[in-house]
Amino acid sequence: MITNFFIPELHNHDVQELWFLQDGATYHTARATIDLLKDTFGDRLISPFGPVHWPPRSCDLTPLDYFLWGYVKSLVYADKPQTLDHLEDNIRRVIADIRPHVQIGLHPSQPWQSYARNHI
């Protein structure tokens, strides 16, 4: 997945400012995977095995888990897709429509807000 899809897709975008948050699941942290991510993202890798270490399972530090997936799901299922093709079309449309202005569940009282805005 990473070598056949993800990395080639990155070549279509400016990744100099892109950060990668790796979830730390054991099956995602093989040495070869971590090395590939380090080569690709350098010091912009957030991982238990990368240069920026964030604690696992923290609702303050995994905003995608606590906002984006729910946001995407609510839009994907809004018209109650009845077929797999319809569901896949909705997923593609919703993901393609996400723009940087979408706030990822940040609230001014959260101390990590300024960090997240600058790095996500």
Side-chain angles (χ1 to χ4, degrees), residues 1 31 43 51 53 66 72 92 98:
M1 173 73 176
R31 166 117 14 236
D43 63 351
H53 183 85
Y66 292 89
V72 167
R92 286 186 185 95
I98 294 174

Side-chain angles (χ1 to χ4, degrees), residues 9 20-21 24 28 30 39 46 49 53 59 64 79 94 98 100 120:
E9 183 63 27
F20 186 86
L21 174 61
H28 294 161
D39 289 345
I46 304 165
F49 303 96
H53 183 85
C59 62
L64 294 178
D79 65 351
V94 168
I98 294 174
I120 295 178

Side-chain angles (χ1 to χ4, degrees), residues 71-112:
Y71 172 78
V72 167
K73 184 177 176 182
S74 70
L75 296 175
V76 165
Y77 288 99
D79 65 351
K80 298 180 174 50
Q82 298 297 309
T83 67
L84 183 57
D85 286 338
H86 187 185
L87 177 63
E88 289 174 349
D89 289 343
N90 281 2
I91 292 169
R92 286 186 185 95
R93 178 185 43 79
V94 168
I95 295 298
D97 287 346
I98 294 174
R99 299 291 177 253
H101 72 275
V102 173
Q103 294 296 311
I104 54 172
L106 302 178
H107 188 273
S109 66
Q110 295 170 326
W112 54 272

